[in-house]
Amino acid sequence: MIENLTAFFDRHSAIVAPELLGATVLYDGVGGRIVEVEAYDPSDPASHSFPGPTPRNRVMFGPPARAYVYRSYGIHWCLNFVCGNAGAVLIRALEPTEGLDLMRRRRGFESPEALCSGPGKLCQALGITGEDNGRSLAASPFALTLATGQGPFVTGPRIGISKAVEIPWRFGVAGSRFLSRRFAGNQS
DNA sequence: GAAAGGATCCGCT
DNA sequence: GCGGATCCTTTCA
């Protein structure tokens, strides 16, 4: 258990990503356990940091332990945690534990499994927008509690990208009902 | 200045 | 299970 968030995130995204599984993320008191993530790094054609710094992705090239929030397909927001060396971990799914009422109100009274089972849905449920881009994960409104130990997890190819699909940098808690999509092969 | 593409979600079949 | 909606960012002329 690393107490310093900056030290925790200042490593390669593919190392940080699986260790985030089981951690608790709260935004203004609303959130839950992380059950699914994906890693991206600058040598990866599918990563936003691959082409180099731009006005949109400049946060990825800044200090670690910050939130990188960007708009996807013009309508959804996606939440990333910035790691060392211009890498990032995309938060894909949560198991909701805090603020269920508020999430249901924002999401239209869906079942718990559907509240945070996807990057765009997750941000809507927690109320995260582009205004949170670049904010520190160590200060309000964010509250991040790292897991004391990792349970079993599964890996697989990442979702929704057209380049470097063969890199298995998707990580999920084994057997969780809150994943955005099931993992091919061993899930139970 | 203009055009193309994208780390997705929702509704319908 | 599949296809459309929707708009911001980047790239090129």
Side-chain angles (χ1 to χ4, degrees), chain A residues 43-183:
Chain A
S43 67
D44 170 8
S47 170
H48 284 182
S49 59
F50 178 71
T54 67
R56 177 173 65 142
N57 67 19
R58 68 185 185 285
V59 171
M60 288 184 75
F61 292 86
R66 298 230 232 153
Y68 168 48
V69 182
Y70 70 94
R71 194 184 285 281
S72 173
Y73 291 85
I75 35 189
H76 306 290
W77 294 106
C78 292
L79 173 65
N80 300 250
F81 293 165
V82 177
C83 295
N85 193 32
V89 176
L90 169 69
I91 309 302
R92 286 193 55 86
L94 293 183
E95 174 183 341
T97 59
E98 303 291 328
L100 273 290
D101 291 341
L102 194 50
M103 288 193 206
R104 273 194 285 265
R105 216 171 307 152
R106 288 170 175 155
R107 295 274 318 139
F109 299 92
E110 292 193 76
S111 66
E113 290 88 349
L115 281 175
C116 299
S117 59
K121 300 156 119 182
L122 184 157
C123 286
Q124 186 182 2
L126 270 62
I128 293 172
T129 71
E131 294 187 3
D132 300 301
N133 189 34
R135 282 196 178 158
S136 170
L137 298 175
S140 177
F142 284 102
L144 185 58
T145 306
L146 298 178
T148 53
Q150 280 75 48
F153 64 88
V154 293
T155 64
R158 292 169 297 175
I159 292 179
I161 57 176
S162 53
K163 304 164 188 169
V165 292
E166 72 282 0
I167 303 178
W169 278 354
R170 179 175 177 231
F171 305 91
V173 173
S176 172
R177 308 194 317 277
F178 300 91
L179 301 176
S180 63
R181 288 172 59 176
R182 304 181 72 183
F183 281 78

